[in-house]
Amino acid sequence: MILTGGLKCLLPHVLRRIIRCNRLSISNTSGMAEGYKQANVVILHESLADDFEKFCHANNGPLPLLYRSKPGDWKCPTLSSDSDIRTDCLQYKIYEHGACTGSLKSLKEYSEQLKDMVTFYLGCSFSFEKAVQNAGIPIRNVEQKCNVSMYKTAVPCYSVSTFRCNLVVTMRPIPESKLEAAVLATSESKEAHGAPIHMGDPGLLGIQDLSKPDYGDPVHLHPGDIPVFWACGVTGVEAVINCRAPLAFTHSPGCMFITDLKNDNVTVRSSREVPQVRCISQDPLHYSIVSAEAAQKIKTLETLIGIDPGDRGIIHLHRQDELLKACLSISHARSVLITTGFPTHFAYEPPEENDGPPGALAIAAILQALEKEVAIVTDQRAMNLNKKVIEEAVQLGILKRPVPLLSYQRESADSALMFLCENGNPGRPRFDHLIAIERAGMAADGNYYNARKVNIKHLVDPIDELFLAAQTIPGVTTTGVGDGGNELGMGKVKDAVKKHIKDGDVIACDVEADFTIVAGVSNWGGYAIACALYILSTCEIHDRYLRKAVGFPPLEKKVIWLSALPSVTKEEKLLKTLAQHGVRSGKTASLQMEVDGLPFYNTHSLVIEKLL
């Protein structure tokens, strides 16, 4: 028998010859023939071949098709010069009517049946291992001399005819400081599954226990390692099982076919193709990916809304990249709860100001277009007003349909938990993300203050409690949008508010959000969130990560997303509607075309145009 030492340096045709002679004492091909592409193998009856090829194209993350043979053809001339698929994998699996009925070292005894069968060669993540090592990143399973870990997930693939299954992934522990390098090293290796599809808590993929892989071996994480998951060609094995073909063959997971093709040393050329990694949650741990180009566009939005037209000192409240991180988190969310409403005009009826609702509806509109669930929670006394505004926003074409309107009252110690989660169970949250925009926030003394230091607690329902409860619910993140420091969520910057904002020591909101977006006018923050979500949705790198590299890019929906964005015309109509309902400018209590004392025309309208 030939031992493993030096196998990584052997040429592919030599390795195939050794494998053919059954002279290797190894259990997988990870780390072998460094720099050359390896392939997963699926062999099906020719009657199933066309549908399986469509299935591969529909899920090209896990199933990048390198070559499809003709029926009965045991060679693959574009991948190797002298191969025989019947003998050139370390080990094969045989499937009959969806059940694995054995492992084989050779398929020669099935030569007659193979005459009517087609072989699919699919890209493998072993192919990018050398590139990862060249980036200074350890390959833990190679270090530990074992197969890579492979797991079934809860992520459904795009189905084609009888081929339907959930995604299978490989997991490689990557030091946290090397995450972005790992993404860069693999993102251009599209024939080897490309960039990761998930980084962080395995539970978000439906994987319960990393120590119990469905295929391969458990790989141990070192302190500081993050579990990183790539789409895996063993997805094809699951598809074979579920289609219940009378007879099918695959490679044994980890025992790949080694090709003569060298891995391309691709240099990423444009910022559209350069991925960046951001942490969007600590509990559960979750990272996201975005292109450098999209990140820069969102940073520009953040700069645009960060001007301080009232010269109130808000520049001292800014936290860099909060808009990007907040919108990445919202992008991953399934269901979003929005709250707004600042009853600063306590002497008027209604007491609401017109900063907040337009930004909230701009966010709701893009979330509807992105097919996310969205609801608005507001004060019980303002329900009728908000209902009318939402109905008119639908008539004006701002919203696609009415947004469910909710109210929250504290009735018991667990009211907030019962509101946010099904039956109060933190494992079943109704919402993944909470957004507060220009919402009166509770100060350290338990009161609510407007900018003039007037206590308006009697007009405010305790919606802050939802944000405090969210801090205790894994998987629920929060964003606060404000322009003065007394808004819900601004507790994250309360020290700066107390130091730099007039009366900040009294009015500063004490309740934190995970992400704090500070804008010259809060509505601008809402518009920026809508625009940033559009940028992320049209970013190919981020879209692929969201889809987990299965299915197709939703390019046909781009027009719908674009039409959902705020515009000068929409916001002008909405501001007139609010004035008709008696909703006033925050600073002046005027019912004219202004917000926070700033004229709509040539101030707010210009900001909207710049954001777009």
Side-chain angles (χ1 to χ4, degrees):
M1 301 291 282
I2 296 176
L3 300 177
T4 58
L7 288 177
K8 66 180 183 179
C9 300
L10 289 181
L11 292 173
H13 74 276
V14 177
L15 271 171
R16 287 196 302 272
R17 198 175 305 144
I18 295 170
I19 290 170
R20 202 174 298 158
C21 297
N22 195 20
R23 296 176 60 201
L24 282 178
S25 60
I26 58 173
S27 61
N28 65 85
T29 56
S30 177
M32 294 171 61
E34 280 188 346
Y36 288 88
K37 291 180 180 175
Q38 299 193 29
N40 298 271
V41 174
V42 172
I43 306 174
L44 296 162
H45 191 270
E46 60 181 321
S47 63
L48 297 170
D50 287 348
D51 281 341
F52 187 72
E53 182 173 350
K54 291 174 186 174
F55 182 71
C56 292
H57 290 314
N59 301 282
N60 66 359
L63 302 171
L65 184 56
L66 302 181
Y67 183 75
R68 169 185 168 170
S69 79
K70 292 183 174 143
D73 188 355
W74 303 325
K75 301 185 183 302
C76 49
T78 63
L79 302 183
S80 60
S81 57
D82 64 342
S83 62
D84 183 336
I85 197 55
R86 298 174 301 169
T87 57
D88 290 1
C89 289
L90 272 176
Q91 186 169 267
Y92 303 86
K93 296 284 187 182
I94 179 171
Y95 292 89
E96 298 176 88
H97 301 285
C100 180
T101 55
S103 298
L104 305 162
K105 288 288 187 182
S106 168
L107 298 181
K108 277 197 167 181
E109 63 183 284
Y110 291 92
S111 295
E112 191 62 33
Q113 292 92 326
L114 287 169
K115 288 179 181 177
D116 296 323
M117 302 183 85
V118 173
T119 302
F120 290 86
Y121 300 80
L122 307 162
C124 169
S125 61
F126 288 176
S127 305
F128 63 52
E129 288 179 339
K130 183 62 176 174
V132 171
Q133 288 174 321
N134 287 345
I137 303 165
I139 305 288
R140 298 293 187 212
N141 68 288
V142 174
E143 288 179 348
Q144 296 168 28
K145 295 181 171 58
C146 63
N147 200 352
V148 72
S149 303
M150 291 163 267
Y151 304 88
K152 300 175 188 179
T153 72
V155 179
C157 289
Y158 187 97
S159 298
V160 174
S161 187
T162 58
F163 294 104
R164 59 190 71 238
C165 67
N166 284 358
L167 176 69
V168 177
V169 293
T170 57
M171 187 281 292
R172 290 171 174 81
I174 304 292
E176 186 176 20
S177 62
K178 301 283 188 180
L179 288 179
E180 199 159 279
V183 176
L184 277 166
T186 59
S187 62
E188 288 302 306
S189 301
K190 292 183 172 57
E191 291 187 341
H193 307 302
I197 58 91
H198 179 64
M199 295 178 285
D201 192 311
L204 294 172
L205 292 177
I207 299 168
Q208 301 305 317
D209 189 346
L210 285 182
S211 69
K212 297 177 180 176
D214 296 291
Y215 299 96
D217 301 318
V219 178
H220 304 293
L221 280 72
H222 288 205
D225 281 353
I226 305 297
V228 177
F229 301 86
W230 279 265
C232 176
V234 176
T235 302
V237 174
E238 289 293 306
V240 166
I241 291 170
N242 288 337
C243 87
R244 300 182 181 277
L247 180 67
F249 304 97
T250 72
H251 69 295
S252 185
C255 301
M256 305 301 171
F257 174 82
I258 299 172
T259 78
D260 292 340
L261 301 182
K262 284 192 170 182
N263 290 310
D264 301 322
N265 293 319
V266 180
T267 302
V268 179
R269 293 182 178 85
S270 74
S271 61
R272 184 177 298 172
E273 299 167 320
V274 176
Q276 294 183 355
V277 174
R278 292 289 191 281
C279 182
I280 58 171
S281 170
Q282 288 292 336
D283 183 19
L285 187 61
H286 193 191
Y287 296 82
S288 190
I289 300 178
V290 62
S291 73
E293 179 186 60
Q296 183 54 51
K297 286 180 179 178
I298 293 171
K299 190 177 182 117
T300 300
L301 297 179
E302 191 172 56
T303 301
L304 282 171
I305 65 170
I307 61 173
D308 187 1
D311 197 25
R312 289 175 292 174
I314 65 164
I315 191 169
H316 301 289
L317 313 185
H318 282 290
R319 292 285 188 92
Q320 193 171 356
D321 284 342
E322 291 285 281
L323 178 63
L324 173 59
K325 289 186 286 188
C327 290
L328 283 170
S329 179
I330 297 166
S331 181
H332 282 271
R334 171 191 50 83
S335 179
V336 179
L337 180 67
I338 302 170
T339 185
T340 190
F342 207 122
T344 191
H345 301 303
F346 54 91
Y348 291 92
E349 179 56 42
E352 269 68 29
E353 64 167 292
N354 59 11
D355 188 19
L361 293 182
I363 298 168
I366 191 67
L367 291 175
Q368 286 184 340
L370 293 171
E371 300 179 7
K372 297 183 185 295
E373 295 176 24
V374 57
I376 292 176
V377 60
T378 190
D379 301 297
Q380 180 64 44
R381 56 161 188 79
M383 289 286 280
N384 287 336
L385 170 64
N386 279 277
K387 186 172 182 290
K388 290 174 185 175
V389 171
I390 288 171
E391 287 172 353
E392 293 190 38
V394 175
Q395 293 170 11
L396 293 171
I398 294 168
L399 293 173
K400 190 162 56 174
R401 58 186 176 276
V403 179
L405 196 58
L406 310 172
S407 67
Y408 169 77
Q409 300 292 326
R410 178 185 173 88
E411 296 172 354
S412 64
D414 61 352
S415 289
L417 203 60
M418 293 296 292
F419 183 95
L420 292 174
C421 305
E422 292 182 27
N423 300 317
N425 179 2
R428 302 186 66 185
R430 292 190 176 95
F431 309 99
D432 309 303
H433 200 104
L434 277 56
I435 302 172
I437 175 168
E438 192 64 21
R439 170 72 194 175
M442 185 172 63
D445 63 3
N447 291 317
Y448 297 80
Y449 296 95
N450 67 13
R452 292 177 288 281
K453 210 167 63 168
V454 176
N455 184 4
I456 53 173
K457 183 176 182 178
H458 62 291
L459 296 171
V460 182
D461 289 346
I463 289 171
D464 305 64
E465 292 181 5
L466 302 180
F467 280 67
L468 292 169
Q471 296 172 7
T472 70
I473 305 170
V476 179
T477 45
T478 57
T479 294
V481 184
D483 58 17
N486 56 344
E487 301 90 359
L488 178 52
M490 293 290 116
K492 189 172 180 179
V493 293
K494 63 185 176 184
D495 290 340
V497 174
K498 292 173 182 177
K499 184 175 180 181
H500 298 286
I501 302 298
K502 184 183 177 184
D503 297 320
D505 57 329
V506 174
I507 70 171
C509 176
D510 201 51
V511 181
E512 293 189 18
D514 294 307
F515 310 106
T516 299
I517 297 168
V518 179
V521 176
S522 292
N523 281 341
W524 301 353
Y527 304 151
I529 287 173
C531 293
L533 288 172
Y534 173 80
I535 290 168
L536 290 176
S537 298
T538 54
C539 168
E540 291 179 11
I541 286 174
H542 182 67
D543 167 68
R544 180 186 184 275
Y545 191 73
L546 275 185
R547 289 186 290 111
K548 307 291 183 273
V550 298
F552 300 99
L555 299 176
E556 75 283 355
K557 295 178 181 175
K558 187 173 179 179
V559 174
I560 297 171
W561 301 336
L562 194 60
S563 67
L565 291 177
S567 68
V568 172
T569 302
K570 286 181 188 176
E571 299 311 305
E572 179 183 33
K573 290 177 180 177
L574 183 56
L575 198 54
K576 287 178 180 177
T577 296
L578 290 170
Q580 288 167 6
H581 289 289
V583 180
R584 302 167 181 272
S585 171
K587 191 172 183 180
T588 63
S590 169
L591 287 172
Q592 300 304 309
M593 292 295 288
E594 64 171 63
V595 178
D596 274 356
L598 301 168
F600 178 78
Y601 304 108
N602 297 322
T603 300
H604 298 286
S605 62
L606 288 180
V607 170
I608 294 167
E609 287 172 354
K610 287 177 182 177
L611 289 172
L612 296 171

